[in-house]
Amino acid sequence: MTLPDSEEFDVVVVGGGPAGSTLAALVAMRGHRVLVLEKEHFPRHQIGESLLPSTVHGVCRLTGVADELAAAGFPRKRGGTFRWGANPEPWTFSFAVSPRMSGPTSYAYQVERSTFDHILLKNARRVGADVREGCAVLDVVADDERVRGVRYTDADGHERRALASFVVDASGNKSRVYQGVGGTRAYSEFFRSLALYGYFEGGKRLPEPNSGNILSVAFESGWFWYIPLSDTLTSVGAVVRRELADKIRGDQDKALRALIAECPLISEYLADAHRVTTGQYGKLRVRKDYSYHHTTFSRPGMVLIGDAACFVDPVFSSGVHLATYSALLAARSINSVLAGTVDEPRALREFEARYRREYGVFYEFLLSFYEMHHDEDSYFWQAKKVTEADRPELQSFVELIGGVSSGERVLTDADVVAKRFRAGSAEFADAIDEVAGSADGSMVPLFKSSVVREVMQEGGQVQMRALLGEDAEAEAPLYGDGLVPSADGMLWCEPRGTGASDPAAGDAPGRAGE
C-alpha cells in the first residue's frame, strides 16, 4: 500500500497522558511544531490518582495549567497517613516537612485521572500542540543514524506517517513503541506486585486537617491504598506480591472483600460504604505493578519518558511525579537542541542522568520503606529484601544509580550499597518512631532522615524554580560538565560563572499564541 505524503513536525509525542501532554505543552510553548498521537479518546479511566506537590506547583505552573487545577475542586492532600512499620498506630507524613515545600505549596491533590489527564491534554492543545485522539502508533521510522518519525493509524483507520526531529514515547507500560530505542527492560526482583482495585461511596475520612491524605495500610498479604477523590468517592486497592496472585483470581468482588476483611483499619473505614458498580468506576480492575527500568532512555532522535522508561512501586505516589518530571527534563533537552544552544548527545545525557537519578532516589526510598516493616507472621513481608538479595539484584541497582546515572554517586561495590541501605532503613525507621511518638506531631525527625530529605529535594527545587523564576537560587550541575535549568525552566544552560549566557534571555522563539 502506498502511504499518503508524510507530515513533518519538530516533535512527535506518542501518548497523551500526563507525561506526553506535559512535554507537548512545554515544547509547543517555545513555538515548535508538536504532534500528539493518543490511541484513546479522552476523558478515559486511569489509575495513579495521588499527586505530589512538585507536579502541582512546579511542572503544572510551568505549563500554565496550575490555576485550572486549583479551580477543579480536587481534594487537597497535605501528605500521607500510614499504618506501616512496627508502630501499631497510624502516623502521618506532611509535605511541610521540607522547607522548600512549606507554606502555600505544601499540598498536592487527589485527582480523578479522567478529569486531570483531560485538563492537561486540552492545555497542550491550547498552547499550540496538534493533538489527535484515536490514533495508534504502529512503529517508529528509523535508519542506522537516528529515529526519523512514526507510522500510525488515524481515527479513520488509515495508515499515515509523521516525520520529526524527535519522537518521544510517552505511551506508558503496555505499548511496545519503547522497543524502538533499543536496549532491554530490566525488572526488579523485589518490587513485583499485583493490584486489585475498585471504588467506594460513603467511606470514612481521616480527621482534619488530613482528610485529603492518602491512607496506606500494611497487612499480612500486602498493603492497601485508600484515596479520597471527593467527599464521598474513594479509590481502594489491595497490592499483593506475585506469589499471592491466587488471592485475586476468580471472583474479583469476593477476592477484594476477603482482602478488606484481612485488614481491620480498611474494614473500619469501609464499614458504612458500598462499592460503585456503574459508570467508569463500576468495574474492578487488576494492575500489574512490576517495577522496571529500561537500560537506555534515549537514542538519536528518540526519548522515553514516564512509564515507557521506568516504573516503581506506587506506595509513595511517585507515578505522576516521575511522568511529569521526566517530561520537563526531556522538554528542556529537546528545546535546547532545537534552539541550537546544546548539542543533542549532551542534552540527552543530561536528561537521562537526571531521570535515572530521580528514579533511583525513589527506588531507594521505597526499599527503606519496605525494610521497616517487621511483621514476622506475614508472608508478604518475609519476601527477599534487596539488602539480602543475590548479587545480581544489587548489581542491577548499582548500575541504575551509579556512574553516569548519578554523577555524585559513583558506586561500584554492591556490598557498599547494601550497607548504605541498611543504615538508611534504620535511620528512617527511627525517625518514624519519633514522629509516631511525638506529642506535637513534629515532622523534624523525618526531614533529618537522609532518604526522606533526598526524595523531596528535586521536587522542591522544581517548585521553587516555577514559583520564583529568575529569583530562584542558582543550581549546581548534577555531574562534572553537566548543565543547569535556564531561568524560565524551559531549557538547559551552562552553570553560572562559566561565561555562557542563559539562552532563556536570548532570542528564543516566543510562546505559542503570543
Side-chain angles (χ1 to χ4, degrees):
M1 182 182 79
T2 301
L3 293 175
D5 291 341
S6 300
E7 296 178 274
E8 293 189 5
F9 299 87
D10 295 311
V11 180
V12 172
V13 182
V14 184
S21 58
T22 295
L23 182 136
L26 291 169
V27 176
M29 289 165 70
R30 295 289 299 177
H32 302 303
R33 299 167 300 162
V34 180
L35 173 66
V36 179
L37 298 172
E38 167 55 50
K39 69 177 181 179
E40 298 187 53
H41 291 273
F42 280 37
R44 53 88 175 97
H45 171 78
Q46 186 57 274
I47 195 61
E49 297 137 328
S50 196
L51 306 187
L52 295 183
S54 60
T55 296
V56 174
H57 305 291
V59 178
C60 288
R61 187 163 297 281
L62 289 174
T63 61
V65 78
D67 290 342
E68 187 174 353
L69 294 179
F74 297 127
R76 286 195 176 191
K77 168 189 172 182
R78 301 185 186 279
T81 299
F82 301 90
R83 166 56 193 94
W84 203 285
N87 195 303
E89 296 300 319
W91 51 272
T92 294
F93 175 90
S94 171
F95 294 128
V97 66
S98 168
R100 294 181 183 275
M101 298 182 188
S102 61
T105 62
S106 58
Y107 67 90
Y109 298 121
Q110 312 285 19
V111 298
E112 294 188 61
R113 283 287 301 276
S114 57
T115 301
F116 174 77
D117 291 11
H118 201 199
I119 289 173
L120 266 58
L121 188 64
K122 288 188 295 183
N123 182 66
R125 181 182 282 120
R126 183 165 54 247
V127 299
D130 181 347
V131 176
R132 302 179 188 177
E133 299 174 65
C135 296
V137 171
L138 304 173
D139 200 358
V140 299
V141 176
D143 54 34
D144 291 340
E145 294 183 357
R146 63 186 297 112
V147 171
R148 306 286 181 181
V150 299
R151 294 189 302 110
Y152 71 99
T153 54
D154 65 18
D156 295 322
H158 300 129
E159 186 172 328
R160 300 184 181 278
R161 287 198 308 173
L163 304 182
S165 298
F166 286 96
V167 170
V168 178
D169 181 14
S171 58
N173 65 344
K174 293 182 179 179
S175 90
R176 294 292 176 264
V177 177
Y178 74 89
Q179 294 174 344
V181 85
T184 58
R185 183 170 284 185
Y187 286 88
S188 165
E189 288 298 322
F190 184 67
F191 295 118
R192 295 200 178 193
S193 302
L194 299 167
L196 172 62
Y197 67 96
Y199 296 82
F200 290 78
E201 280 283 349
K204 183 178 174 180
R205 292 291 177 260
L206 290 162
E208 294 293 350
N210 299 316
S211 63
N213 279 11
I214 182 173
L215 174 63
S216 299
V217 183
F219 70 113
E220 184 173 345
S221 295
W223 65 273
F224 267 98
W225 75 68
Y226 188 94
I227 303 174
L229 300 179
S230 72
D231 289 342
T232 61
L233 180 65
T234 309
S235 171
V236 180
V239 180
V240 301
R241 282 186 66 80
R242 58 177 176 172
E243 291 90 344
L244 300 180
D246 286 345
K247 284 182 173 284
I248 62 174
R249 291 198 178 108
D251 186 328
Q252 292 181 341
D253 185 69
K254 182 178 179 181
L256 184 58
R257 283 189 280 110
L259 288 167
I260 291 170
E262 279 188 46
C263 186
L265 187 57
I266 296 298
S267 295
E268 173 193 337
Y269 271 65
L270 291 176
D272 297 322
H274 64 273
R275 189 172 72 80
V276 177
T277 56
T278 59
Q280 68 166 323
Y281 298 133
K283 178 183 176 183
L284 290 174
R285 294 176 169 91
V286 174
R287 161 82 183 248
K288 185 172 75 172
D289 282 333
Y290 283 16
S291 298
Y292 59 83
H293 70 276
H294 205 66
T295 54
T296 180
F297 289 177
S298 64
R299 63 173 285 193
M302 184 173 180
V303 177
L304 308 181
I305 62 174
D307 288 357
C310 54
F311 177 81
V312 71
D313 183 286
V315 71
F316 197 62
S317 309
S318 57
V320 175
H321 163 71
L322 289 172
T324 56
Y325 176 68
S326 64
L328 172 61
L329 297 177
R332 285 174 181 163
S333 296
I334 290 170
N335 285 339
S336 300
V337 174
L338 294 178
T341 59
V342 181
D343 65 73
E344 184 175 338
R346 191 178 182 196
L348 295 183
R349 185 167 67 248
E350 188 71 37
F351 155 75
E352 184 151 350
R354 286 179 179 263
Y355 190 21
R356 284 191 182 279
R357 179 189 182 279
E358 190 73 353
Y359 175 83
V361 164
F362 273 88
Y363 191 103
E364 183 174 347
F365 173 82
L366 288 160
L367 290 172
S368 297
F369 203 66
Y370 272 75
E371 282 280 354
M372 64 176 281
H373 197 281
H374 303 294
D375 183 352
E376 297 299 330
D377 296 326
S378 167
Y379 174 79
F380 183 83
W381 301 105
Q382 288 176 2
K384 181 176 63 176
K385 303 292 193 299
V386 75
T387 54
E388 301 168 356
D390 295 334
R391 185 164 293 268
E393 168 68 5
L394 285 174
Q395 286 177 334
S396 175
F397 187 52
V398 168
E399 292 171 3
L400 175 68
I401 67 172
V404 69
S405 299
S406 178
E408 81 284 359
R409 289 187 191 165
V410 183
L411 301 174
T412 56
D413 188 337
D415 292 330
V416 172
V417 178
K419 289 176 182 178
R420 185 160 60 81
F421 284 165
R422 293 188 186 105
S425 298
E427 177 192 43
F428 181 55
D430 288 344
I432 294 302
D433 287 342
E434 283 192 60
V435 169
S438 172
D440 61 0
S442 172
M443 295 287 111
V444 172
L446 274 180
F447 186 62
K448 288 182 177 179
S449 167
S450 60
V451 291
V452 173
R453 190 167 61 246
E454 191 163 8
V455 82
M456 300 182 78
Q457 178 179 2
E458 185 63 19
Q461 190 67 51
V462 170
Q463 285 180 236
M464 293 295 288
R465 178 156 298 283
L467 289 168
L468 300 179
E470 293 184 6
D471 294 328
E473 61 187 43
E475 294 184 39
L478 182 63
Y479 53 92
D481 64 341
L483 303 166
V484 296
S486 60
D488 64 0
M490 305 286 277
L491 300 143
W492 296 120
C493 61
E494 299 291 346
R496 292 180 190 176
T498 62
S501 61
D502 186 336
D507 298 322
R511 297 181 180 224
E514 291 186 346

